Amino acid sequence: MHRVEGVPGEAGPVGLTLALGRLRALGVTGFRVALPAPGHPLGLSGPPEFNARALEAEEAVVCSGAAVGLVPEVYEVGPAGDVRVEVTWHCLAVREAPPADVPSLGEAERELAEGLRDATAVLSRLDVAGSGPVAEAALDAYRARAEAGREVLAPGYPPRAVRVLELAQRVGLLISLAYENGHGGAVSASEMAGRGEALRPVERVARRAQVAAYNAWVEERERGR
């Protein structure tokens, strides 16, 4: 269940349908995703209160057309054996300014290609690029989903956005496999540090690319005005 709290004109939490209608009446024409991390307010524009809550949640939505944004709070409710997940979206004021550090699709695609090449080279040298049956199973599952022609973005997105998001997800899988498989052959402190140094920048690149892909529809729509 999703509820939205703090919608202008509403005294308490309301359902998504009513909340979206209220936001539309305020002038909202689209949404931008933000995927911030400590030291990297990706997709945010302020103020500090909104940024702090978004950083804590590690995700947020910034409205296009009105100075408001939404931050999710996810929690579990119900007795043992009958637990369900609910989400409360907190509607807060945002600063009307360009979102932080969001690249163009072309820039994101170039960064991903370079980041994937560099990270693969370093991780392979350290023997942590993701090997063994667990890694192979995860890669096989990813390939099966891709080959099944799954729809990664809604209809209407530019083909390049789909391409960028697919590559970003592939890079994200590489990163998660490297973390999940432990240190692999990286047995010295310097090698473990090298692994972290290789993963951090490419993880940042992957998040930037995801934001660029998800926000491409709104960006193209605004450029066409």
Side-chain angles (χ1 to χ4, degrees):
M1 179 182 293
H2 290 254
R3 307 282 285 175
V4 186
E5 187 175 65
V7 176
E10 296 295 332
V14 298
L16 274 180
T17 301
L18 178 57
L20 291 172
R22 290 282 188 265
L23 292 173
R24 186 73 181 89
L26 288 174
V28 173
T29 57
F31 298 103
R32 288 184 172 91
V33 70
L35 298 176
H40 188 204
L42 175 62
L44 300 177
S45 58
E49 179 191 356
F50 183 82
N51 285 8
R53 296 191 73 155
L55 275 165
E56 184 178 356
E58 298 184 344
E59 57 184 337
V61 171
V62 179
C63 297
S64 176
V68 292
L70 305 166
V71 179
E73 180 183 357
V74 184
Y75 51 93
E76 294 182 341
V77 296
D82 189 26
V83 176
R84 67 182 185 275
V85 175
E86 295 190 355
V87 182
T88 296
W89 293 86
H90 298 279
C91 187
L92 304 164
V94 300
R95 184 179 296 138
E96 291 188 276
D101 200 35
V102 178
S104 67
L105 282 174
E107 182 183 358
E109 196 167 29
R110 288 192 299 273
E111 287 181 354
L112 278 171
E114 293 170 3
L116 181 60
R117 183 189 65 237
D118 295 345
T120 300
V122 174
L123 294 175
S124 295
R125 177 170 54 81
L126 297 178
D127 193 24
V128 292
S131 59
V134 174
E136 286 303 319
L139 288 168
D140 288 343
Y142 174 84
R143 294 188 191 104
R145 290 198 305 270
E147 289 168 6
R150 65 190 176 100
E151 194 171 67
V152 296
L153 289 171
Y157 271 83
R160 191 174 209 175
V162 176
R163 218 167 45 239
V164 167
L165 185 55
E166 283 276 15
L167 184 54
Q169 290 174 341
R170 185 179 176 188
V171 171
L173 177 63
L174 171 66
I175 293 167
S176 66
L177 289 175
Y179 279 129
E180 289 167 9
N181 287 354
H183 298 307
V187 293
S188 71
S190 62
E191 286 174 332
M192 286 186 280
R195 183 191 68 153
E197 289 172 6
L199 290 176
R200 279 190 292 273
V202 78
E203 191 173 17
R204 182 184 181 110
V205 163
R207 283 191 301 108
R208 275 168 48 88
Q210 287 183 64
V211 170
Y214 284 125
N215 295 352
W217 189 88
V218 171
E219 298 293 346
E220 285 211 346
R221 186 178 183 278
E222 293 193 347
R223 280 198 299 271
R225 285 180 178 176

